[in-house]
């Protein structure tokens, strides 16, 4: 397949929310090119009429249960791991850039 | 005295405790002392639970003194790979992202061990988020193979494998998504089992590739694997893929009889196997024949495509599973973040190592619009073919034999190319794709002084048989008796 461009890597990095420096993007571009080159071999296989694998075991059944409140994590326990909290809620920086 | 306790099997330790020859405190102290003395060389552990383990031991000794009922794993120290939760303790997943994450609940597998009166001795080092085949991707440094300290132990469960090989504990838990229990078991000369998908609950295991992940045990003999599987193989209501059948009577099945067994070997797929790995593989097949088994050919050529298939499916699932690490609710949030977008972008940039970033980007690509059909859906179709080929193979044989890894342990730092490292999993990945149980047992020590592994693969839900056959073979070869010399 055609080599990926820096723009394409930048787009993927944006999709998965990982900030990447120019240098890092170039390294990723080269790595991905190599790996995708290897993965291309899957295209050789004739898979007409084969269903994509949904679940690895045929015996799986849907395991829905009745919608009843059971054991839950307490708010305090949950917040113990949060980086920043205020008034029993998780605090994050502004969603929009502040006009300074 | 210490080391004479540490070389004992899990069953023997439990027996000596139950019969009053050793106290739980004596057992625990012996292992903690050995870890403190020697883990500086191996670096298998990220956290050693000196206080917690001693408390558990004291409580057990009290229970015994009061004639209270004891669980089947009483007084056995067990190490846990650091991608599984022990309630109230840190789970790092080998990542900078989670250096401060304290687990608010226990993994089901860990809870079951504690209910069986096992002693959780600590958390072991692993490749970051279970992504790797050498334990070199940990944010906290590599693990050193107890057989050759300048070599890798394998990965991603390198710490759990090295800990058992070094006799820092008789049992440990690892996780296997593409070979991460079996390959390090092989490189460390011990036993490692990946159960059938769904056999052991994934609740409390930090997800990497949810359709592939499975928790499993490491031990230095197969009988101890049988013991622990009866405890951790229970159904779990918190994991919707958990099998709703009893764990299986692993211990009762151990009859050592291989007369009439049909061992399937995918000769064509193993065409490229040569040198000592080939020699040791053939020797183990000969041992099967000595014990009354026959070797038959099976067609698993489809496994040539297993690495490509796996690295599409696993990375796609990882890109989704690791999206939760966004710096908002838990984990290390970037101090430089001034906006919400920067919380995501910078926390992930700073928190994830290069291999994790590589796989997330690859996973994002194969799922992206325009490419999903060509890559992800195609990989899922090939996966269906793999499941069918394994099922067909098992019509003509009872168990399939393959090597566990293409070579012995390589030097730390020797393999820099990511693709080269992916190829280490050539023989193990197929079992994850097909959801079948597979075990690695020691195959012998190569001329470089390092172990090789022999892998047995069974049909779906054939875990008891796989362990039974492995135990019989291991008993005949004696390779599980071998241990590395760490002192001096």
């Amino acid at each position: 397949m055609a080599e990926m461009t820096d723009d394409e890597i930048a787009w993927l990095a944006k999709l998965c929310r990982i900030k990447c420096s120019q240098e890092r993007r170039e390294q990723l571009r080269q790595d991905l090119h190599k790996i995708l080159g290897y993965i291309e071999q899957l295209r050789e296989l004739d898979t007409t009429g084969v269903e994509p694998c949904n679940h690895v075991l045929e015996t799986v059944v849907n395991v829905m249960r009745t919608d009843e409140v059971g054991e839950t994590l307490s708010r305090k326990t949950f917040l113990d791991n949060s980086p920043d909290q205020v008034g029993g809620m998780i605090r994050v920086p502004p969603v929009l850039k502040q006009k300074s | 005295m210490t080391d004479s306790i540490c070389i004992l099997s899990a069953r023997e330790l439990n027996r000596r405790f139950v019969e009053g020859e050793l106290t739980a405190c004596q057992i625990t102290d012996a292992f903690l002392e050995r870890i403190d003395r020697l883990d500086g060389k191996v670096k298998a552990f990220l956290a050693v639970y000196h206080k917690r383990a001693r408390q558990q031991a004291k409580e057990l000794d009290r229970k015994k003194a009061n004639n209270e009922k004891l669980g089947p794993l009483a007084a056995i120290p067990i190490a846990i790979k650091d991608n599984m939760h022990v309630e109230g303790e840190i789970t790092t997943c080998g990542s900078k992202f989670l250096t401060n994450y304290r687990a608010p609940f226990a993994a089901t597998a860990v809870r079951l061990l504690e209910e069986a009166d096992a002693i959780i001795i600590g958390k072991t080092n692993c490749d970051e988020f279970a992504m790797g085949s050498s334990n070199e991707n940990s944010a906290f440094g590599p693990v050193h193979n107890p057989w050759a300290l300048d070599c890798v132990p394998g990965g991603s469960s390198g710490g759990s494998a090295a800990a058992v090989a070094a006799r820092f504990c008789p049992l440990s838990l690892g996780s296997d998504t593409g070979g991460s229990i079996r390959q390090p078991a092989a490189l460390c000369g011990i036993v490692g089992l990946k159960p059938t998908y769904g056999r052991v609950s994934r609740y409390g295991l930090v997800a990497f590739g949810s359709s592939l992940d499975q928790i499993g045990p490491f031990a230095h003999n197969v009988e101890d694997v049988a013991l622990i599987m009866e405890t951790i193989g229970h159904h779990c209501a918190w994991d919707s893929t958990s099998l709703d059948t009893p764990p299986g009577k692993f211990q009762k099945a151990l009859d050592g009889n291989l007369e009439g067994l049909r061992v399937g070997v995918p000769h064509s797929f193993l065409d490229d196997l040569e040198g000592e790995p080939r020699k040791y593989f053939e020797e183990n097949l000969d041992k099967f024949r000595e014990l009354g088994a026959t070797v038959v050919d099976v067609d698993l050529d489809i496994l040539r495509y297993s690495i490509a298939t796996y690295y599409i499916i696993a990375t796609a699932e990882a890109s989704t599973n690791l999206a939760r690490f966004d710096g908002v609710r838990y984990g290390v949030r970037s101090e430089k973040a001034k906006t919400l977008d920067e919380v995501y972008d910078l926390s992930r940039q700073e928190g994830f190592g290069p291999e994790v970033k590589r796989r997330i980007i690859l996973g994002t690509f194969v799922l992206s619009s325009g490419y999903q059909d060509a890559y992800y859906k195609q990989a899922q179709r090939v996966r269906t073919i793999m499941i069918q080929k394994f099922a067909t193979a098992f019509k003509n044989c009872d168990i399939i034999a393959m090597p566990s890894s293409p070579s012995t342990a390589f030097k730390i730092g020797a393999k820099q190319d990511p693709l080269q490292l992916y190829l280490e999993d050539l023989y193990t990945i197929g079992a994850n794709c097909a959801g079948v149980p597979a075990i690695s047992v020691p195959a012998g020590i190569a001329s470089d002084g390092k172990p090789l592994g022999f892998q047995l693969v069974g049909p779906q839900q054939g875990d008891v048989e796989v362990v039974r056959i492995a135990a019989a073979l291991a008993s005949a070869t004696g390779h599980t008796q071998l241990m590395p010399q760490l002192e001096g």
Side-chain angles (χ1 to χ4, degrees):
Chain A
M1 63 166 269
E3 282 221 25
M4 289 186 79
T5 63
D6 182 62
D7 277 348
E8 281 174 304
I9 298 286
W11 169 239
L12 290 174
K14 193 175 159 128
L15 279 179
C16 62
R17 296 293 199 175
I18 300 180
K19 192 167 175 66
C20 281
S21 64
Q22 171 83 37
E23 195 191 317
R24 184 89 210 106
R25 283 204 307 271
E26 178 50 29
Q27 184 62 56
L28 277 167
R29 201 185 62 79
Q30 288 176 24
D31 287 341
L32 247 64
H33 181 70
K34 212 185 214 167
I35 297 169
L36 287 171
Y38 178 81
I39 282 174
E40 279 301 298
Q41 61 180 270
L42 279 195
R43 304 239 212 171
E44 293 164 13
L45 285 170
D46 179 11
T47 55
T48 351
V50 180
E51 282 299 304
C53 173
N54 226 339
H55 187 73
V56 82
L57 260 57
E58 274 177 14
T59 54
V60 72
V61 291
N62 203 348
V63 288
M64 304 296 277
R65 62 173 175 85
T66 42
D67 188 9
E68 282 164 355
V69 174
E71 216 182 293
T72 56
L73 212 56
S74 75
R75 182 188 290 234
K76 181 192 176 304
T77 308
F78 173 68
L79 287 172
D80 278 345
N81 272 314
S82 62
D84 191 11
Q85 48 173 294
V86 61
M89 294 174 287
I90 294 189
R91 179 163 50 189
V92 291
V95 176
L96 302 169
K97 248 199 173 82
Q98 300 289 281
K99 286 199 173 108
S100 42
Chain B
M1 162 71 161
T2 296
D3 291 343
S4 64
I5 292 178
C6 299
I7 59 174
L8 297 173
S9 71
R11 282 157 306 120
E12 182 58 20
L13 286 165
N14 172 259
R15 188 195 68 73
R16 292 194 190 192
F17 169 68
V18 165
E19 295 183 10
E21 290 171 40
L22 287 171
T23 64
C25 284
Q26 278 174 320
I27 293 172
T28 306
D29 281 342
F31 282 101
L32 287 173
E33 193 278 328
R34 185 173 169 85
I35 292 169
D36 288 342
R37 184 165 30 102
L38 295 170
D39 194 37
K41 298 185 184 185
V42 178
K43 302 200 198 304
F45 284 89
L46 289 178
V48 182
Y49 294 163
H50 295 91
K51 199 164 160 209
R52 195 179 190 280
R54 285 194 167 110
Q55 259 166 7
Q56 285 185 310
K58 252 172 110 179
E59 172 56 17
L60 261 186
D61 283 333
R62 186 203 64 74
K63 270 172 93 161
K64 174 127 187 9
N66 292 349
N67 283 317
E68 287 176 36
K69 190 164 192 293
L70 297 167
L73 299 179
I76 300 174
I78 306 188
I80 309 292
K81 180 178 182 180
D82 204 16
N83 64 350
M84 293 176 226
H85 294 328
V86 172
E87 187 173 339
E89 304 293 339
I90 303 281
T91 301
T92 66
C93 297
S95 180
K96 275 198 289 193
F97 208 113
L98 295 177
T99 43
N100 60 359
Y101 180 80
R102 204 163 282 278
F105 60 94
T108 293
V110 172
R111 179 180 55 79
L112 290 169
L113 290 179
E114 294 195 308
E115 284 172 3
D117 286 329
I119 293 173
I120 306 301
I121 201 145
K123 293 293 212 71
T124 54
N125 202 347
C126 58
D127 279 305
E128 190 178 357
F129 290 108
M131 298 184 192
S133 310
S134 63
N135 219 125
E136 294 173 289
N137 292 330
S138 167
F140 306 104
V143 173
H144 300 256
N145 192 317
W147 289 88
L149 294 170
D150 58 347
C151 291
V152 302
S156 60
S157 315
S160 280
V164 168
R167 303 310 193 259
F168 294 154
C169 49
L171 283 169
S172 65
L173 288 189
S175 70
D176 191 313
T177 305
S180 292
I181 288 176
R182 293 159 288 148
Q183 185 254 19
L187 268 48
C188 288
I190 56 170
V191 183
L193 169 72
K194 182 204 82 68
T196 295
Y197 181 79
R199 181 72 275 160
V200 179
S201 169
R202 292 177 298 110
Y203 180 71
L205 166 71
V206 176
F208 157 19
S210 307
S211 76
L212 301 155
D213 291 339
Q214 200 44 201
I215 291 176
F218 286 102
H220 46 84
N221 62 79
V222 187
E223 289 78 8
D224 283 351
V225 168
L227 171 67
I228 193 176
M229 280 305 294
E230 288 181 3
T231 292
I232 61 175
H234 286 281
H235 171 65
C236 170
W238 296 87
D239 172 357
S240 63
T241 60
S242 169
L243 292 177
D244 199 1
T245 51
K249 301 215 185 303
F250 285 87
Q251 296 189 89
K252 214 162 171 202
L254 300 173
D255 64 3
N257 178 21
L258 299 183
E259 201 67 49
L261 185 77
R262 297 168 304 164
V263 180
V265 174
H267 286 109
S268 170
F269 171 57
L270 297 178
D271 227 5
D272 295 334
L273 188 67
E274 52 181 20
E276 285 193 281
R278 165 66 69 180
K279 171 170 170 269
Y280 283 92
F281 180 66
E282 295 294 340
E283 263 180 29
N284 280 278
L285 288 181
D286 284 338
K287 186 54 81 176
F288 263 133
R289 291 184 182 98
E290 264 178 55
L291 296 167
T294 48
V295 175
V296 301
D297 185 53
V298 292
D299 172 20
L300 285 175
D301 278 354
I302 193 70
L303 294 183
R304 290 186 199 283
Y305 300 95
S306 56
I307 292 183
T309 305
Y310 170 82
Y311 276 97
I312 291 175
I313 297 174
T315 54
E317 294 184 2
S319 73
T320 301
N321 278 325
L322 269 65
R324 70 193 64 188
F325 300 109
D326 53 16
V328 174
R329 292 152 296 164
Y330 42 68
V332 178
R333 184 189 290 184
S334 172
E335 288 174 10
K336 303 197 199 108
K338 302 274 185 303
T339 63
L340 184 59
D341 276 353
E342 285 185 349
V343 167
Y344 306 146
D345 295 341
L346 296 177
S347 303
R348 288 161 71 81
Q349 177 194 37
E350 291 164 22
F352 290 147
E355 183 59 31
V356 170
K357 284 176 180 150
R358 195 162 21 234
R359 294 198 194 194
I360 291 175
I361 298 253
L362 178 56
T364 306
F365 172 74
V366 304
L367 287 175
S368 64
S369 161
Y371 293 108
Q372 219 192 88
D373 223 75
Y375 291 98
Y376 183 72
K377 294 228 172 94
Q378 176 69 346
Q380 290 288 38
R381 289 186 205 104
V382 177
R383 190 174 183 183
T384 298
I385 298 176
M386 274 185 205
I387 294 169
Q388 290 166 351
K389 293 282 183 184
F390 266 107
T392 303
F394 283 118
K395 291 199 171 106
N396 300 317
C397 70
D398 306 304
I399 196 91
I400 290 172
M402 282 198 279
S404 309
S405 97
S407 62
T408 56
F410 46 91
K411 283 203 166 39
I412 293 171
K415 301 203 182 201
Q416 299 289 333
D417 178 0
L419 189 55
Q420 255 208 316
L421 281 159
Y422 298 170
L423 295 173
E424 287 297 308
D425 294 327
L426 177 62
Y427 302 122
T428 49
I429 275 183
N432 302 84
C433 292
V436 292
I439 194 169
S440 178
V441 290
I445 307 295
S447 58
D448 60 8
K450 292 180 282 190
L452 284 164
F454 185 74
Q455 191 187 186
L456 292 169
V457 185
Q460 288 180 356
Q461 304 205 54
D463 305 63
V464 171
E465 255 306 86
V466 166
V467 173
R468 183 189 77 81
I469 295 167
L473 178 69
S475 195
T477 62
H479 294 316
T480 51
Q481 315 268 11
L482 304 166
M483 39 176 279
Q485 290 312 310
L486 264 185
E487 322 258 10

